[in-house]
Amino acid sequence: MEMHFATIWESIADEIPDVPAVTNGDTTRTWGQFDDRAARVAKALTGAGLGPDSKVALYLYNGNEYVEAQYATFKLRGVPVNVNYRYLDEELWYLLDNSDAEALVFHASLGDRVANVVARLPKLKVLIEVNDGPTAAVPNAQEYEAVIAAHDPMP
């Protein structure tokens, strides 16, 4: 077996799909659900032109979506880039620009900061917003659950 997180986690999901994998608050995802949701996000990312070595920035609080988006990035052989949720406009812009991020997954409550810098990040191909309450309007951002619903799982 190839020793890669995506391969290992896929193997676990194949063996114990109904066992809980991740829990945050009242939301628990089984290994099967975790794998399926990550595969759908991965399909959306590849559909946007991302692939091996693409950088996917995760500007998220801790939660199931963080781990799912990280797993999705592993599935496409990309590079997850953790972005500290405390970063303000210039720090956020610098990290996203310097990391060559092609995708950004962010919590809606951080959307005001994203909206302030997105026009200065021409390498970004896709923006995915996780709904966690009030949001700023971020041009071309797709809602996370809608992305999952709109895509079949990546093989």
Side-chain angles (χ1 to χ4, degrees):
M1 171 178 22
E2 180 183 343
M3 296 306 286
H4 187 281
F5 280 119
T7 305
I8 294 168
W9 290 349
E10 288 165 356
S11 297
I12 293 169
D14 289 344
E15 290 297 318
I16 53 171
D18 298 323
V19 173
V22 291
T23 298
N24 184 55
D26 295 333
T27 304
T28 296
R29 305 265 191 251
T30 65
W31 276 100
Q33 293 167 326
F34 178 47
D35 184 61
D36 179 73
R37 290 170 62 84
R40 292 171 186 273
V41 173
K43 181 73 169 207
L45 295 172
T46 59
L50 279 70
D53 299 324
S54 289
K55 302 351 176 260
V56 178
L58 307 174
Y59 191 38
L60 298 163
Y61 298 110
N62 292 337
N64 292 347
E65 296 85 1
Y66 183 98
V67 183
E68 290 169 0
Q70 182 182 48
Y71 184 14
T73 305
F74 290 152
K75 282 180 170 287
L76 61 95
R77 303 300 192 248
V79 179
V81 177
N82 180 55
V83 181
N84 189 317
Y85 65 84
R86 292 180 182 91
Y87 282 1
L88 300 178
D89 298 358
E90 289 307 305
E91 297 164 309
L92 176 62
W93 170 80
Y94 178 82
L95 179 64
L96 296 175
D97 183 59
N98 193 268
S99 69
D100 296 324
E102 295 178 56
L104 175 61
V105 183
F106 64 97
H107 268 112
S109 59
L110 301 170
D112 58 335
R113 299 174 194 171
V114 174
N116 289 339
V117 302
V118 72
R120 296 170 37 202
L121 296 163
K123 293 177 186 168
L124 280 179
K125 297 177 181 175
V126 63
L127 297 159
I128 302 175
E129 178 181 81
V130 176
N131 185 356
D132 70 338
T135 180
V138 178
N140 303 312
Q142 302 172 54
E143 202 276 321
Y144 186 82
E145 293 299 328
V147 166
I148 289 173
H151 291 86
D152 291 328
M154 187 175 89

